[in-house]
């Protein structure tokens, strides 16, 4: 008896309105993204038997839990996933969904995210907020530490260890802004030069205004099913070649080394499972909460040696036509960052592999990598995707 092919693939993607959408709340973003992903794939809601969603905790913002979201979307899942690891949550969930498809626990899984953070918070700079002073945070929060301050400490240490310069950090922001210029949904599209970054106001030394991600509204949805099922659907499917996820700390005070990330372990795991190396990757979607985040991910994932991420960016390798184009939607720095950006990494990687990225299409894109970063580069999820056969 021949067993059915349960190879997991991505068969549908959808984005909600953004970057400013006062007509939608967090649930509305998820519903709209789900509807668009279903239309994209040709599936119906009745086909969905697995559901994943991660909810961010934001001070002063009413929370929406996973069961309430499933109810609002009208789903009846037999497999439910709610892993929360900050910005990397959807790379972690993609790994879990891959396993669920292979094992037969679900046949078609919907992952959704939605946030009205900009509408609710009324600001557009991702310097973030403090958290409840429990656990390791009890040694940090009383001193007024913010998210941007923690990343600034990492940037300062990287500069001390390797000679990384503010100009090299700024090169990351310049590269993704060039890509955002082609995205009508990007919050920032005006051309940006290195001097513009360096002349923008200092937020936390050495990070300037344009070294920091935006805050936006937005939502996304991804549908994962079997390759066998996807062959009959509307879009060319995208193969999930390898996934991995690791955590080496949560609070910045507990980080074993602020010049690297947990991607130094999850990256090699994902490449080994995919049977690939960093040289095989045609484009990457790297979490860009701050410019230093990209430098740390480049190095810890093996695209550069430690200390070489700054020169790599400065040489133009992250732009279209470079050795490793990144964040072709404009990234969190210039396009959208409504809270948990990991799902947007997967969506843009799929667009590239389908050949549907328009003016920012990477030629002959066969392999794309999405690396989500949660906390203070604490939890790194890596998903390696390939063009379907």
């Amino acid at each position: 008896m021949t067993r059915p092919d349960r190879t997991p693939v991505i068969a549908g993607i959808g984005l909600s309105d953004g970057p400013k959408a006062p007509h939608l709340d967090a649930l509305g973003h998820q519903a709209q993204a789900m509807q668009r992903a279903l239309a994209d794939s040709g599936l119906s809601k009745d086909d969905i038997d697995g559901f994943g969603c991660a909810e961010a905790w934001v001070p002063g913002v009413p929370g929406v839990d996973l069961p309430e979201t499933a109810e609002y979307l009208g789903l009846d899942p037999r497999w439910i996933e709610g892993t929360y690891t900050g910005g990397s949550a959807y790379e972690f969930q993609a790994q879990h969904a891959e396993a669920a498809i292979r094992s037969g626990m679900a046949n078609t899984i919907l992952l959704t995210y939605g946030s009205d953070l900009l509408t609710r918070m009324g600001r557009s700079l991702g310097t973030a907020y403090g958290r409840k002073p429990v656990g390791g945070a009890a040694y940090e929060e009383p001193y007024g530490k913010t998210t941007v301050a923690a990343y600034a400490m990492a940037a300062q240490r990287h500069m001390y260890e390797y000679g990384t310069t503010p100009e090299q950090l700024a090169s990351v922001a310049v590269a993704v802004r060039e890509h955002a210029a082609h995205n009508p949904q990007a919050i920032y599209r005006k051309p940006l030069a290195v001097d513009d970054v360096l002349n923008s106001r200092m937020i936390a030394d050495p990070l300037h205004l344009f070294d920091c991600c935006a805050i936006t509204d937005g939502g996304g949805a991804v549908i994962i099913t079997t390759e066998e099922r996807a062959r009959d659907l509307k879009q060319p499917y995208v193969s999930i070649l390898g996934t991995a996820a690791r955590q080496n700390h949560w609070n910045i005070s507990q980080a074993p080394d602020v010049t690297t990330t947990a991607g130094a372990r999850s990256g090699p795991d994902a490449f080994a499972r995919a049977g690939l190396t960093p040289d095989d990757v045609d484009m990457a979607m790297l979490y860009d909460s701050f410019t230093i985040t990209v430098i740390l991910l480049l190095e810890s994932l093996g695209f550069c040696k430690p200390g070489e991420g700054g020169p790599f960016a400065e040489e133009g390798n992250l732009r279209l036509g470079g050795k490793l184009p990144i964040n072709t939607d404009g990234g969190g720095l210039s396009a959208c960052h409504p809270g948990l950006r990991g799902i947007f990494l997967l969506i843009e990687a799929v667009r590239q592999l389908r050949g549907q990225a328009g003016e920012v299409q990477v030629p002959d894109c066969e392999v794309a990598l999405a690396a989500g970063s949660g906390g203070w580069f604490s939890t790194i999820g890596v998903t390696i995707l390939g063009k379907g056969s």
Side-chain angles (χ1 to χ4, degrees):
M1 179 177 174
T2 303
R3 292 186 176 184
D5 182 358
R6 300 203 60 83
T7 301
V9 301
I10 295 178
I13 53 173
L15 291 171
S16 67
D17 293 346
K20 298 179 182 180
H23 57 292
L24 295 173
D25 61 10
L27 288 172
H29 278 286
Q30 294 186 69
Q32 190 179 71
M34 176 192 72
Q35 292 163 352
R36 290 172 178 176
L38 289 172
D40 178 68
S41 66
L43 291 164
S44 73
K45 194 159 58 175
D46 291 339
D47 294 311
I48 303 298
D49 63 352
F51 177 58
C53 176
E55 301 295 346
W57 176 83
V58 179
V61 177
V64 180
D65 58 28
L66 177 63
E68 184 176 2
T69 304
E71 177 186 78
Y72 183 84
L73 297 179
L75 301 174
D76 182 22
R78 60 190 177 109
W79 180 88
I80 299 176
E81 161 66 23
T83 297
Y84 174 78
T85 57
S88 60
Y90 287 93
E91 281 66 43
F92 276 67
Q93 291 196 10
Q95 182 188 42
H96 302 164
E98 175 196 19
I101 294 290
R102 289 190 188 279
S103 69
M105 294 182 69
N107 294 313
T108 303
I109 294 172
L110 170 72
L111 306 180
T112 68
Y113 176 66
S115 169
D116 56 353
L117 190 57
L118 176 57
T119 294
R120 283 187 178 273
M121 301 289 283
R123 61 184 185 146
S124 56
L125 175 62
T127 53
Y129 28 77
R131 294 175 295 124
K132 294 180 180 179
V134 297
Y139 301 96
E140 304 174 7
E141 302 303 327
Y143 299 96
K145 183 216 68 183
T146 61
T147 298
V148 66
Y151 280 83
M153 286 192 294
Q156 288 281 14
R157 187 65 191 183
H158 204 272
M159 289 177 167
Y160 174 81
E161 291 279 355
Y162 301 114
T164 304
T165 67
E167 289 80 4
Q168 291 168 349
L169 294 177
S171 296
V172 176
V174 170
V176 298
R177 180 64 66 88
E178 286 184 2
H179 303 159
H182 303 286
N183 180 0
Q185 281 194 290
I187 193 166
Y188 301 133
R189 301 179 66 192
K190 182 180 177 181
L192 190 68
V194 168
D195 284 347
D196 295 326
V197 180
L198 301 182
N199 292 329
S200 63
R201 75 178 187 269
M202 186 69 73
I203 304 299
D205 194 9
L207 301 179
H208 297 80
L209 174 66
F210 294 134
D211 287 300
C212 304
C213 68
I215 290 294
T216 68
D217 299 328
V222 172
I223 297 174
I224 302 174
T225 189
T226 65
E227 181 179 325
E228 185 175 62
R229 178 74 179 91
R231 291 192 193 107
D232 298 326
L233 299 180
K234 288 175 62 174
Q235 297 287 352
Y237 63 82
V238 167
S239 299
I240 300 176
L241 303 179
T243 61
R246 297 292 290 264
Q247 173 181 341
N248 58 10
H249 66 283
W250 182 244
N251 295 288
I252 190 68
S253 61
Q254 307 305 307
D257 181 354
V258 296
T259 65
T260 187
T261 77
R265 293 186 291 170
S266 57
D269 286 349
F271 281 117
R273 289 167 187 162
L276 299 171
T277 72
D279 288 339
D280 296 311
V281 176
D282 297 309
M283 68 86 59
M285 295 298 297
L286 303 181
Y287 208 94
D288 57 343
S289 46
F290 301 93
T291 51
I292 185 61
T293 316
V294 172
I295 300 297
L296 296 181
L297 287 172
L298 285 169
E299 295 175 0
S300 61
L301 294 172
F303 293 110
C304 302
K305 293 179 180 179
E308 294 182 358
F312 187 83
E314 193 171 36
E315 291 164 5
N317 288 303
L318 307 183
R319 300 176 176 182
L320 286 171
K323 185 176 180 181
L324 184 72
I326 70 161
N327 303 1
T328 48
D329 63 340
L333 290 167
S334 286
C336 76
H337 197 300
L340 307 183
R341 184 169 154 74
I343 199 164
F344 302 98
L345 309 181
L346 298 171
I347 290 169
E348 180 66 10
V350 169
R351 290 180 68 238
Q352 285 286 346
L353 292 165
R354 286 179 177 179
Q356 297 173 350
E359 293 177 278
V360 291
Q361 179 65 50
V362 175
D364 304 316
C365 188
E366 300 282 341
V367 177
L369 177 144
S373 173
W376 332 96
F377 48 87
S378 320
T379 54
I380 307 297
V382 179
T383 306
I384 301 175
L385 302 174
K387 188 173 183 177
S389 57

